[in-house]
Amino acid sequence: MRQTGYEVFSFYYDKLTKNVDYAARANYFDTLIHTHLHTPGCVLLDLACGTGTMAQEMARRGYDVIGVDYSSGMLNQAMDKKFESGLAIQYVQQDMRELELYGTVDVTLCTLDSLNHLPDLTAIEEVFQRVAAATEPGGLFLFDMNTLFKHRQLLGNQVYVYETDEVYCVWENTLREDSCTVDLTLNLFEVCPDGRYRRKVEQITERAYAPEQIQIALKRAGFSVIGIYHADTTEPLHPNSPRMVVAAQKIRQK
């Protein structure tokens, strides 16, 4: 696979996200799907699937899963998990802005602030259009995003430190003047066999949006917004919600 970015981060991703309860999040999305999907279909696209942990959780819940990611490093990790688990997940390397499937899906998931990595609202709208084209009428698009509150109050101009047995990470953030974009520098220190540390650096940029902007973009793409929720709940979005979950349904043509 070609090198596409996040290759350094992909190797440490699972080690640095052990705090994510994937099983609980999969149960949450599974409940939303059963509540709002009014067709017997069960083909699910995990968009920006990363190392495949969520894809595996959804496959274990009976979905026919396709995982799409742009990063070859992330997909290499996902393929290793697939071989270990024996789960029948299909992985495809694509930029989400160029998403093109051979058929349609009933549900698309996009989790862990993946859409925040896109550079601007135009790119967001491109992805929404692509997802709409790949979705059955009445199908669902479920995704989460970091909020403006999180970027301004929790991430911006902060430094975080994470330490595991395998890696020491210093995470430095810089909030841009637009007050919605954060540049993240991940300094990853790996322990070498001789006890010394090897430093690797990954640069990532995330941009947050107002929920009203996301709702307008979804409607332009042909989706009806079911709800915009606080974190992993069905409560309305709070002013200080760090993450919003959006549930949308592709409009059936009359």
Side-chain angles (χ1 to χ4, degrees):
M1 292 182 176
R2 66 185 183 278
Q3 297 297 303
T4 54
Y6 305 122
E7 310 312 325
V8 174
F9 189 37
S10 66
F11 184 75
Y12 303 105
Y13 186 82
D14 287 340
K15 299 178 179 65
L16 294 171
T17 56
K18 288 182 179 180
N19 62 316
V20 178
D21 190 339
Y22 283 98
R25 300 211 75 208
N27 287 337
Y28 168 72
F29 286 113
D30 187 46
T31 298
L32 287 179
I33 292 167
H34 281 89
T35 300
H36 298 292
L37 185 65
H38 305 303
T39 69
C42 60
V43 179
L44 183 145
L45 168 63
D46 186 4
L47 187 63
C49 64
T51 63
T53 305
M54 181 61 77
Q56 293 204 141
E57 290 289 346
M58 300 310 290
R60 292 189 179 105
R61 285 158 179 77
Y63 295 91
D64 184 2
V65 179
I66 303 168
V68 169
D69 202 280
Y70 187 51
S71 166
S72 58
M74 293 288 191
L75 287 176
N76 285 336
Q77 300 292 325
M79 288 296 293
D80 288 344
K81 293 179 184 177
K82 172 184 174 177
F83 292 137
E84 290 176 7
S85 68
L87 293 168
I89 301 170
Q90 179 184 356
Y91 286 111
V92 180
Q93 185 175 14
Q94 284 185 345
D95 186 322
M96 68 172 77
R97 291 166 291 187
E98 301 171 0
L99 177 69
E100 188 172 357
L101 304 177
Y102 289 106
T104 54
V105 301
D106 303 294
V107 180
T108 295
L109 286 185
C110 189
T111 61
L112 291 177
D113 60 282
S114 296
L115 288 167
N116 292 104
H117 292 243
L118 294 169
D120 50 41
L121 192 58
T122 298
I124 293 283
E125 292 181 345
E126 288 175 0
V127 172
F128 289 178
Q129 294 283 350
R130 291 281 182 169
V131 172
T135 302
E136 282 286 311
L140 300 178
F141 184 20
L142 309 174
F143 58 90
D144 65 27
M145 299 184 76
N146 286 339
T147 61
L148 287 167
F149 169 82
K150 183 174 182 177
H151 277 215
R152 293 167 180 170
Q153 303 297 325
L154 303 180
L155 291 184
N157 300 315
Q158 299 293 322
V159 177
Y160 297 95
V161 176
Y162 299 91
E163 184 175 8
T164 73
D165 292 339
E166 298 88 359
V167 65
Y168 183 84
C169 175
V170 179
W171 179 340
E172 301 175 287
N173 299 327
T174 302
L175 182 67
R176 294 188 187 177
E177 291 185 1
D178 64 9
S179 77
C180 60
T181 305
V182 176
D183 295 314
L184 303 88
T185 300
L186 302 178
N187 298 278
L188 301 157
F189 297 87
E190 180 185 25
V191 181
C192 300
D194 60 5
R196 294 184 297 173
Y197 283 84
R198 178 186 295 113
R199 177 173 177 257
K200 298 179 180 179
V201 179
E202 190 82 89
Q203 301 282 347
I204 298 173
T205 297
E206 292 198 16
R207 183 182 177 92
Y209 303 88
E212 294 80 10
Q213 293 176 292
I214 299 302
Q215 189 164 2
I216 291 170
L218 283 167
K219 288 182 177 180
R220 286 176 178 168
F223 286 102
S224 173
V225 177
I226 297 169
I228 300 180
Y229 306 121
H230 164 70
D232 293 350
T233 73
T234 53
E235 299 174 10
L237 197 64
H238 302 173
N240 59 348
S241 296
R243 180 193 302 123
M244 61 180 172
V245 174
V246 181
Q249 192 159 35
K250 184 175 177 180
I251 298 171
R252 297 179 185 271
Q253 299 298 323
K254 296 182 180 179

